[in-house]
Amino acid sequence: MNILRIIFWMVWRGMVRPRVRLITFVCVFAVALMVFLPLEVYGVLFGLYAVQRQIVLEDPLTLCLWVGLPGLKEQVFTPERKKELSRLLTNEPGLSGWYFFHEIDIFFGLLSDPSAGSLAVTGRTRDPEDPVLRNRTTQKTDKPTSGLYVSRKLLEQLGWRPSEPEPRELFIEAPNRELVSVPVAAIYDELPWGHKFVVDKNWYADFLQEHADVRCAILVTGPIPADWPPPAQLPKLVRTAFDTYRMFVPQKAGSTWRIETWRDNGYHIRDWTTFLQKINSLMITAGFSSASEKFWKDARPINQQVNPQSLPAENMGAIYVKDVSHLRSLKQKLEQNGFYVRDTNDTINRLEQLNRSNLIQAGFVTAFLVLIFTGLMLVLTAVQTLRTEAKMAQIGLLKAIGMSERFLRWMFITESLIIWLLGTIVAVITSFLLGKYLVAPALIPEASRYASLAFQFSPAMVSMIACSVAACWIVMTVLTTRKAIGTSPAGLLQTL
């Protein structure tokens, strides 16, 4: 213990002596710079990689494969194909779930005048558990969270302008050809895979059932005006209209008409209403009084036929994995079994390209740091040589009083370790503060959102860099002091 105390006392005295104090400061600064530069550069470089990777991984579609192709009948998910896919996925490791959905077309009415025209738009259904809409920029509305989800691009196609309030409802054409107002559950900046809307599967099934295609061949109208003539005496233009619409001359039933068509499957209720309004206009043109709205609103179908429309066959499936490492192997396995598979976000290629880019950048940075490191080591070699020359008298006196070469060697090594420790402490604190709060926020986009990732500062990286600098510094110290330690006391004193 006394020997260690003596060594540390002599080392400290040798570091702060007036002749070597400036040289000691230069050595501490150089060591700090050698530790600081790699920590700062690699911290920002790996932080940029971590942020870019996290942005890719945040989207649920990153961990998703889409199976199926809507245009091919062979890719429709029949019960047999569902069973086959489930068999392949049941024992597959790393899966978080799979969901089937339909790709559908819906006619949307224009915002300015829904009845003036409609636009056919392609979208898809969604299972309530399907995370496809998670983590997407959205503008919430006061409406229920289930139903119709649309993109801003669709709204713009329907006539909406960003300067206008966002619509809370849209008109879509139902199976019975009526324009039905439906609430907008949410508006998204963008929806995946080019779809412009998404609907909940159960909501859309209820919508199809509620607005089913209803037709009838026989209809009893509401009350007709008292001055309208018997059916056999109707004006010629009215009788022509009945022929044009493929209808028999009506039969009077009290204050109403009973109208029958010879058209197969009859007409939609909406078409019947349009026809009755047309007949009323023609009767007014012929000089008769106008019928009230009850003429068409109170009309009753006699033999209506309800043609319920169900959801189309599921033609696509979404498979979600827990880790990107499972994407490639799962994709290859499904393709080998005859399934058409799409990497929806091109995740595999994007991550591989990101890894290659990061490796190339790390290679260039390492080469650049090696050059700087070599230059600093040459400077430190010259500085350490000056420190050794400044201590020639001290070394000669210590050897003259019987100090061994081994003791002197450990004294210089201890001195180098103290300088390394001081420089490392300064470098670690400085690089962490500058990197986390100044350099990374200035160089990395989205750094404020990913504060924990923007600057990579792990103990393993600090230890590796600091130990590498320590090894080089100690080897250089041994090499530069070897000659002085091996010289006799007389020889050392003659150099003064």
Side-chain angles (χ1 to χ4, degrees), residues 183-250:
V184 177
I187 299 172
Y188 290 83
D189 290 339
E190 184 181 5
L191 289 173
W193 203 250
H195 291 142
K196 297 176 184 176
F197 71 88
V198 174
V199 292
D200 285 325
K201 185 187 300 182
N202 297 333
W203 178 90
Y204 189 57
D206 294 340
F207 175 82
L208 294 178
Q209 185 175 2
E210 181 181 353
H211 303 279
D213 180 11
V214 180
R215 295 169 176 264
C216 71
I218 303 175
L219 184 84
V220 176
T221 69
I224 62 175
D227 63 338
W228 283 18
Q233 301 175 9
L234 288 174
K236 182 177 180 180
L237 54 87
V238 176
R239 297 174 66 89
T240 302
F242 275 98
D243 290 337
T244 303
Y245 280 85
R246 299 181 183 181
M247 294 184 182
F248 297 106
V249 175

Side-chain angles (χ1 to χ4, degrees), residues 250-321:
Q251 299 177 8
K252 191 170 183 180
S255 61
T256 62
W257 280 350
R258 185 178 185 274
I259 307 175
E260 183 177 354
T261 177
W262 68 80
R263 187 171 183 264
D264 293 339
N265 298 326
Y267 282 103
H268 292 280
I269 299 299
R270 181 184 178 188
D271 294 335
W272 276 104
T273 301
T274 302
F275 171 71
L276 294 179
Q277 292 173 342
K278 177 70 174 178
I279 294 299
N280 182 53
S281 299
L282 293 175
M283 293 297 290
I284 295 173
T285 303
F288 296 94
S289 58
S290 173
S292 66
E293 292 184 351
K294 292 182 178 180
F295 177 59
W296 56 83
K297 286 189 175 181
D298 290 352
R300 294 177 291 107
I302 297 298
N303 61 339
Q304 68 178 11
Q305 300 175 359
V306 179
N307 300 317
Q309 182 178 345
S310 59
L311 287 173
E314 293 166 323
N315 50 21
M316 296 194 74
I319 304 173
Y320 295 90
V321 300

Side-chain angles (χ1 to χ4, degrees), residues 335-354:
E335 288 176 340
Q336 291 172 358
N337 285 271
F339 289 93
Y340 183 84
V341 185
R342 286 180 285 184
D343 179 6
T344 53
N345 253 20
D346 198 24
T347 304
I348 298 173
N349 291 331
R350 289 172 66 188
L351 289 180
E352 288 180 350
Q353 184 177 0
L354 185 61

Side-chain angles (χ1 to χ4, degrees), residues 49-59 61-63 321 323-328 343 345-359:
Y49 169 77
V51 169
Q52 291 175 336
R53 181 181 173 85
Q54 184 63 26
I55 291 174
V56 173
L57 296 180
E58 271 189 353
D59 193 334
L61 293 184
T62 296
L63 301 175
V321 300
D323 188 81
V324 293
S325 60
H326 296 93
L327 283 177
R328 182 179 292 279
D343 179 6
N345 253 20
D346 198 24
T347 304
I348 298 173
N349 291 331
R350 289 172 66 188
L351 289 180
E352 288 180 350
Q353 184 177 0
L354 185 61
N355 290 336
R356 287 195 298 269
S357 175
N358 185 256
L359 286 175

